[in-house]
Amino acid sequence: GDTAFRSARLVLADWFKIDQNKMQKRLVLCVPLLAIGAFVGHLDYAIVWRYFSWTNQTLAMIVLWTASMYLFREKKITAVPATFMSAVSMTYFFCADECLGLSTAVAYPVGIILAALFLGIFILATRKPAKKQA
């Protein structure tokens, strides 16, 4: 836990450009982080784990789309895994009780439609000429 809280504090300090040389400035970030940790520590971990699982899937989806764009420029096509992960992540978001909690009759088609939309955005983005780097 110590390493995770230290890492979170340093990430926030970097984002918000808060110098960490003085103890007071460290405490400005540490106290709220520890309070959030205390709150999360008292939650039902089955629910916390489901949120972690969904965010992990969503991160994988974003990384796959990013990699697909890079690899497309290298003349390799990898949008199929990104499209699949988009369908999985979006369907879970619409279907899971901790998210929107919609029925599978709604969540499955919406997840597939959004995955197809993401694929369409990817296809449109790859048709644009790449900007030349200076």
Side-chain angles (χ1 to χ4, degrees):
D2 176 50
T3 302
F5 281 112
R6 185 180 313 117
S7 296
R9 174 180 59 85
L10 291 173
V11 166
L12 290 174
D14 189 45
W15 280 353
F16 296 113
K17 311 245 186 290
I18 299 172
D19 182 42
Q20 294 293 286
N21 289 332
K22 295 187 179 183
M23 183 64 73
Q24 293 90 355
K25 292 192 177 187
R26 290 182 193 172
L27 289 174
V28 166
L29 294 175
C30 281
V31 172
L33 278 174
L34 291 172
I36 292 168
F39 174 75
V40 170
H42 289 88
L43 294 176
D44 179 10
Y45 276 100
I47 294 171
V48 173
W49 186 251
R50 285 184 278 186
Y51 280 113
F52 174 78
S53 175
W54 177 74
T55 55
N56 193 35
Q57 288 178 343
T58 303
L59 176 62
M61 175 188 75
I62 292 167
V63 169
L64 281 167
W65 281 118
T66 304
S68 292
M69 185 57 83
Y70 169 78
L71 290 170
F72 175 82
R73 291 186 177 147
E74 298 296 316
K75 306 292 186 236
K76 297 179 174 106
I77 305 294
T78 60
V80 173
T83 304
F84 174 77
M85 202 64 209
S86 297
V88 169
S89 188
M90 294 297 99
T91 299
Y92 182 85
F93 178 77
F94 285 101
C95 187
D97 290 335
E98 62 271 10
C99 294
L100 297 182
L102 302 174
S103 71
T104 56
V106 173
Y108 287 1
V110 170
I112 292 168
I113 290 168
L114 284 173
L117 177 69
F118 294 160
L119 179 60
I121 292 169
F122 173 78
I123 290 169
L124 287 175
T126 57
R127 289 183 180 213
K128 293 181 183 177
K131 292 181 183 178
K132 293 183 181 179
Q133 295 178 352

